[in-house]
Every structure is written in C-alpha cells, then in structure tokens.
Amino acid sequence: MGEIALGQYYPSNSILHKLDPRVKFIGTIVYIVSLFLVNTWIGYLFCAGFLIVMVILSRVPFHFILKSMKPVFFILVITMLFNLFLTPGEPVVKFWIFTISDQGISMAVRMGARLTLLVMGSSIMTLTTTPNALTDGMERLFSFLKVIHVPVHEISMMMSIALRFIPILAEETDKIKKAQIARGADFETGGLIRRLKSMVPLLVPLFVSAFRRANDLAMAMEARCYHGGDGRTQMKPLRYAGRDYAAYAILAAYLAVCIVFCWRHL
Amino acid sequence: MLIELKNVCYTYGAGTVYEVSALDGIDLQIHEGEFIGVIGQTGSGKSTLIQLFNGLMKPTTGQVFFAGKDIWADGYDLRSLRTHVGLVFQYPENQLFESDVLKDVMFGPKNQGLTPGECEERAKEALRQSGIAEEFYSVSPFELSGGQKRRAAIAGVLAMDPEVLILDEPTAGLDPAGRDELLNLIKHLRDKRGITVILVSHSMEDVAQYATRLLVVHEGKIAFDSSPKQVFSHYRELEKMGLAAPQITYIMHDLRERGLRVDVTATTVSEAKRSILMALSEHRSLSTD
Ligand SMILES: Nc1ncnc2c1ncn2[C@@H]1O[C@H](COP(=O)(O)OP(=O)(O)OP(=O)(O)O)[C@@H](O)[C@H]1O
Ligand SMILES: [Mg+2]
C-alpha cells in the first residue's frame, strides 16, 4: 500500500495548489515544449531555474519530486548510454569496440537533462493537483472536441471513476491478501508456476469484489438519474481567478524567452 | 502466557504525508483459555490490534511474543504461527474463492500440509459446527446468502484447528438466531477444546454474556482491562468514549433509583432476572411485616 504513484497528490496550500487545473495542464505542456525548443546550456539552465522556482512555490518537499524519477530512472540510464556510445563525432575515449565522442558526451548529458526536467516538471502538476481536479480541467479544455462527437464528458467520467477506484482496489487487495495469509496461504516462496497458482485465492475474490463494486456504482448512479453529459451542471464549476490570468502571462513570457533562445541558438 | 505485547505502537503510512497513529504504547498479556472481548469506538484501533497477534502486521515499535518467543525475531516461522492463531476478519465472506464450499474450507488445512483425506475430514467437521447443511458443500460459495457466506468463511478458519481464535465483529449482519448460534459455537469450542478466544464486537450484550475479560480500546490505547462487570461499572466513562453498558445495566440502575434493592452490577439478562426476583421477594416480605 501507499506505493501507488498515481495518487501522488501532496496536500498543501501553496499558490500552485490553488491554481486552476487547466492552467497547470497547459503550463506543463508549455514546459515540455520549451524543453524541446532550447538546445544550449544557457537554455537548459533557464528551464531548470524555472522548475526550481516552481518547486519552491509548490511547497512540496524535494524528495517527493525526486521520487517521481524512480520509475523512469532505468529509461534515463539507457537513453544516456545509447547517446553516449552511438553518437558519431570526434573520438575522446576508445576501448575495445566502444568509442565515446565529444558529441556523444554532450548529447548524453543534454538528453539526460531534458528527460529529468521533463519528468520532474510533469510531476509538479500531479503533486499539486488532485486527480479529480485534473480530469475536470481536461474535460473543460477538450470540450471543443464535442463538436466532432468525441464523448468528452463520458471519457472524463470514466477516468475519474478509474482513478477513484485505484486506491479502493489496492486496499481491497491488501485485505484479501491478509485474509488468505491468515489461512496459511504463501505468496512469497516457490517457483513461477507455484506463485502464479498461489495468486488464485487473491485474484478471484478481487475480481468478484471489483465487479460487485462496479455494479453497485452503476446502480447508485442510475438511482440518482445520471444520464451522461448533456445539461449536467457542476457543484464547483471551474472559474479562472486573477492569479490564473497572471500565471498564463508568466507562462507566455517564459515561452517567449525559450523561443528567443531557440531562434538565436544561444 | 500465550501472547504478550510489549509497548507496541502502530502507525499507518509511516514516513508519508498520511501518517495515522492507530496504536500507541500497548502493553498486554493474554493467557491460555481466556475469552477476551474487545470493544471500542469505530476507528479506535481494534482491527489493527488483532492483526498484531498473528503477525499479519509488524508493529512500528515494540515487541510481540507468542509462547515466549519474539515473533519478529530472525528465523521465526510466521506461517506456523498463523496456524496456531486463527483470525477471522471483518466481513470474511470476501475471502471465498474456490469452486465449491467444501474446497474453500479445505484451503486452510491444505496449507498446513495435511493429507487430502484429513483436510476433507476437518473441513466437514468445521462446516457442520458452523451450521452449513451438507447440501451446500458442493455449491459455489458465491451462490450462498450473506449469512451463509459468513459461516462458510468462519468454517475456513475453524478447519485449521487453531489454539487461539480471533474474530473481528463476526456477528455483524447475521440474524439474531444466527448470532446466538455462532457465539454459542465459539463458547462451546472454548469450553470443550480449551482454545483461547478474542472477540471484537460492538454489542455490549454479547461481550457481557460471553467474555471473561474485557479490553476497551480508546484512541489507540487500552482504556480498561478487567472483568466485564468491573468495566461496565464505569459506564459513565464508557459513554464518553462512544460506548455504553448493556441495556440491562441501565434498567438495574433505574430500578435502584426507584427504591428496589437490586444488584446494579448485573450485566446479563439472566443475572438481572435473578437479582430482580430476589429484590421483589425481599420487598414483599418487608411490606407484609
Ligand atoms: N489501511 C489503512 N491505512 C491508513 N489508515 C488506516 C488503515 N486502516 C486503519 N487505519 C486507521 O487506523 C485507525 C484504527 O483503525 P482500525 O481499523 O483498527 O479501527 P477499528 O477499531 O477496527 O474500527 P471499526 O470498529 O470501524 O472496525 C483509524 O483511525 C483508521 O482510520
Ligand atoms: Mg475494525
């Protein structure tokens, strides 16, 4: 329990937490785009500086942001190694069949920096926004797709339900696992086949309960006359406040600087 | 001494933002053959406490001993501990998984390494004791009613023949007859086989009637630990913890206030009946004099 990264929201009261989820979503996209615009050391430093300011503003302890790197660490290392060895250029180090070029070193470091900043940047959004607020914001942002008959509301409803169910199912798994361990079940030892077999007492009750919950939820929604998106109002509709417009302005300025960096090859 | 807890604390989500301290400095000794009732408000830490007894959860700090051995010491066989200490969870029906009831009940004994013949024998005996008729043995556990599922799940633990039987609110959702049957079965097992029973319950009447010792858990601490009679004599304090004394105790207090000389410490209906009848006959003989 507690290791499910999806619900990694860190409760706090910072200015970033209070921003409209739409701003944070667009901000994250702007940040990712900016990382692909800049290509120089000064550019990366500027992006990193922006991120550091955001981290400070978010009041999320830094090790929570570092934790978000854990799942991509492996990919990061692989990417850096590939770039290091496979980029052609002036050879610097040579041993056996490997050559490391100056281009390779610079490419590897830049790719590493880019990936690191990218993951950390998007983790700021997930750390400061509840999953529900996020789907809410995305529903509003993408509502223009309704024109071409994309069921935006339904998709977002499914996403919120799925997100809501993850911790519930995790808790349920924990409970059932304990109940079976109390009956002498062994989930840890044995070969692959034995371990797969030992999952049956866990998975069957889990599926049964998941289906039962889904059924109950459908029934409850039906009982409250849920009938899809048309004409539905929200209890707390998203509304931009002054700080959101200010945030958009800052984002625009930031993007402009990055474009200048890209254009000038600074 | 069978189970001993020394200065045990348990914190959920230790080291994260969502830390909840569920138990705080518990010292407890459980002896063989006791029938212990555990009461406490919702969220007071009862379910957490009982999961420490069979090593399902590791205390954040403190030690747990079973038969004198520290169960979290290196090399301790936790699986064998769990066959000695049977635990029936809150809503145990969620653990059913096999294709038929008999096979499901055999799961525990099978894990203990018994032969298929022994497993079946144990399972059948447990099912009989739990009041599941033979015609249901070959039915899928998911086709049983809620109460029948509960019994089948309890049979699944009984079949392991544990020395200590821990039950977390086993009677929630059972009909009155089913509740009495289940509690009588537990009492019978204790009287006949001498097993130790720990029963978590929200029914003051049930613990008053069956338990020999009562633990009151309040905000992660043990607030009271003595005989049901003594604990319920503190009913004013219990009320502050969201608990109460059995209904009959209140009636006895009322009767006393109105001048009938009854025993106010009575906690079960049969005790109260005896005391009231005695007081009445005294009363009558006084007024005829
Ligand atoms: N898996 C969990 N994660 C985090 N906190 C938990 C978890 N399980 C229980 N808690 C918390 O620990 C405390 C004690 O919970 P516990 O389940 O032991 O209470 P209880 O006395 O059994 O309540 P009830 O009578 O409702 O069954 C509660 O404050 C609860 O919120
Ligand atoms: Mg409980």
Side-chain angles (χ1 to χ4, degrees):
Chain A
M1 277 287 301
E3 278 151 33
I4 292 98
L6 253 164
Q8 55 169 267
Y9 178 65
Y10 179 91
S12 170
N13 216 359
S14 76
I15 176 88
L16 280 197
H17 284 78
K18 283 189 209 136
L19 279 185
D20 190 291
R22 285 171 290 181
V23 179
K24 285 186 267 188
F25 185 74
I26 289 177
T28 307
I29 290 177
V30 165
Y31 191 69
I32 291 172
V33 169
S34 78
L35 287 175
F36 286 93
L37 280 177
V38 301
N39 209 7
T40 56
W41 293 115
I42 305 177
Y44 282 124
L45 262 155
F46 179 66
C47 291
F50 186 73
L51 184 73
I52 289 169
V53 174
M54 289 305 132
V55 171
I56 293 168
L57 282 181
S58 74
R59 289 206 223 133
V60 177
F62 192 63
H63 68 266
F64 276 91
I65 292 163
L66 274 187
K67 244 197 241 165
S68 66
M69 290 300 297
K70 225 166 51 182
V72 289
F73 187 72
F74 189 63
I75 298 174
L76 181 70
V77 171
I78 298 267
T79 314
M80 285 181 74
L81 284 180
F82 267 89
N83 276 297
L84 192 61
F85 290 115
L86 300 180
T87 316
E90 199 69 15
V92 180
V93 186
K94 224 178 190 172
F95 62 94
W96 197 31
I97 53 168
F98 298 110
T99 38
I100 297 175
S101 65
D102 58 345
Q103 290 283 313
I105 295 174
S106 126
M107 195 68 179
V109 175
R110 265 185 290 170
M111 282 309 278
R114 190 177 272 175
L115 250 171
T116 311
L117 290 178
L118 194 145
V119 173
M120 286 189 173
S122 19
S123 81
I124 294 212
M125 174 176 75
T126 46
L127 280 165
T128 59
T129 323
T130 60
N132 269 334
L134 203 57
T135 39
D136 217 18
M138 278 163 60
E139 179 181 349
R140 286 287 289 275
L141 276 177
F142 291 115
S143 60
F144 68 91
L145 289 176
K146 276 183 197 151
V147 182
I148 53 166
H149 298 290
V150 177
V152 179
H153 170 78
E154 281 72 13
I155 292 174
S156 113
M157 185 55 118
M158 285 195 290
M159 265 174 67
S160 344
I161 291 175
L163 285 172
R164 182 68 197 83
F165 266 59
I166 287 170
I168 294 181
L169 286 181
E171 201 175 304
E172 192 90 15
T173 313
D174 192 53
K175 257 191 211 155
I176 297 169
K177 195 170 170 188
K178 277 184 185 164
Q180 306 298 25
I181 291 177
R183 292 211 278 167
D186 182 5
F187 295 110
E188 261 100 50
T189 56
L192 185 66
I193 302 287
R194 237 195 99 182
R195 271 206 217 184
L196 281 178
K197 258 189 173 167
S198 76
M199 294 306 273
V200 173
L202 181 61
L203 290 180
V204 173
L206 190 62
F207 274 106
V208 169
S209 106
F211 280 116
R212 200 195 52 228
R213 274 177 199 281
N215 221 345
D216 289 352
L217 181 69
M219 197 79 97
M221 284 167 80
E222 192 114 19
R224 294 182 203 174
C225 307
Y226 177 81
H227 59 82
D230 289 334
R232 251 173 86 79
T233 52
Q234 279 178 312
M235 191 161 126
K236 292 180 192 154
L238 289 174
R239 227 172 252 130
Y240 283 128
R243 55 169 171 263
D244 297 312
Y245 293 115
Y248 273 133
I250 293 171
L251 277 174
Y254 168 76
L255 191 62
V257 173
C258 290
I259 288 172
V260 171
F261 276 136
C262 169
W263 184 34
R264 280 282 155 98
H265 298 290
L266 264 167
Chain B
M1 194 184 322
L2 206 52
I3 301 176
E4 185 174 12
L5 267 60
K6 269 192 192 156
N7 196 19
V8 164
C9 299
Y10 191 88
T11 309
Y12 283 101
T16 68
V17 215
Y18 303 101
E19 272 194 2
V20 183
S21 163
L23 293 176
D24 183 12
I26 303 271
D27 282 299
L28 189 62
Q29 298 179 343
I30 292 167
H31 304 273
E32 246 159 278
E34 283 187 309
F35 193 131
I36 298 182
V38 182
I39 57 175
Q41 209 176 359
T42 288
S44 55
K46 306 181 293 295
S47 300
T48 311
L49 178 68
I50 56 169
Q51 289 177 59
L52 295 170
F53 293 150
N54 71 341
L56 273 180
M57 302 209 302
K58 186 174 177 175
T60 317
T61 59
Q63 289 166 300
V64 182
F65 296 89
F66 180 76
K69 293 209 185 86
D70 185 344
I71 67 168
W72 291 105
D74 283 338
Y76 190 89
D77 186 2
L78 279 171
R79 275 191 78 194
S80 103
L81 167 70
R82 287 172 193 141
T83 67
H84 295 301
V85 184
L87 175 59
V88 179
F89 272 88
Q90 222 164 349
Y91 306 112
E93 48 273 30
N94 295 337
Q95 67 185 31
L96 301 169
F97 70 97
E98 272 286 7
S99 51
D100 68 50
V101 171
L102 186 66
K103 271 195 209 150
D104 199 281
V105 176
M106 281 165 63
F107 180 66
K110 224 166 61 192
N111 286 328
Q112 289 177 299
L114 302 180
T115 65
E118 285 173 314
C119 289
E120 195 169 326
E121 214 169 282
R122 287 258 197 105
K124 281 187 171 155
E125 158 127 42
L127 281 165
R128 202 169 26 237
Q129 286 175 329
S130 320
I132 298 261
E134 210 154 319
E135 67 210 72
F136 291 112
Y137 288 7
S138 53
V139 171
S140 157
F142 300 107
E143 283 167 21
L144 300 178
S145 81
Q148 287 168 332
K149 274 187 202 160
R150 174 76 52 91
R151 289 165 193 236
I154 292 173
V157 174
L158 287 182
M160 296 175 74
D161 201 10
E163 287 160 44
V164 183
L165 183 60
I166 308 172
L167 303 111
D168 196 350
E169 289 177 47
T171 54
L174 288 185
D175 56 31
R179 191 193 62 205
D180 289 345
E181 252 172 59
L182 179 61
L183 290 172
N184 282 326
L185 165 68
I186 296 164
K187 183 171 153 44
H188 175 76
L189 287 176
R190 172 177 170 260
D191 295 345
K192 210 180 77 185
R193 289 205 231 149
I195 63 173
T196 311
V197 177
I198 300 169
L199 174 73
V200 176
S201 177
H202 279 303
S203 162
M204 305 299 137
E205 277 74 20
D206 289 350
V207 287
Q209 189 170 354
Y210 293 95
T212 56
R213 175 177 166 199
L214 201 51
L215 295 178
V216 181
V217 185
H218 182 59
E219 291 176 355
K221 292 197 172 72
I222 301 221
F224 290 104
D225 175 4
S226 57
S227 72
K229 255 194 204 325
Q230 270 174 331
V231 170
F232 287 131
S233 70
H234 298 278
Y235 65 101
R236 295 273 177 240
E237 280 125 295
L238 289 180
E239 278 166 11
K240 282 189 202 121
M241 301 174 187
L243 300 167
Q247 296 287 333
I248 197 73
T249 309
Y250 289 99
I251 295 180
M252 299 304 265
H253 278 279
D254 268 6
L255 287 175
R256 177 56 99 48
E257 256 167 49
R258 306 208 178 164
L260 197 63
R261 293 171 48 80
V262 291
D263 172 18
V264 288
T265 63
T267 50
T268 64
V269 176
S270 55
E271 259 178 359
K273 180 179 160 195
R274 223 177 306 127
S275 163
I276 293 175
L277 286 179
M278 217 151 78
L280 279 179
S281 63
E282 238 174 71
H283 193 71
R284 232 170 267 136
S285 60
L286 277 178
S287 47
T288 46
D289 281 350

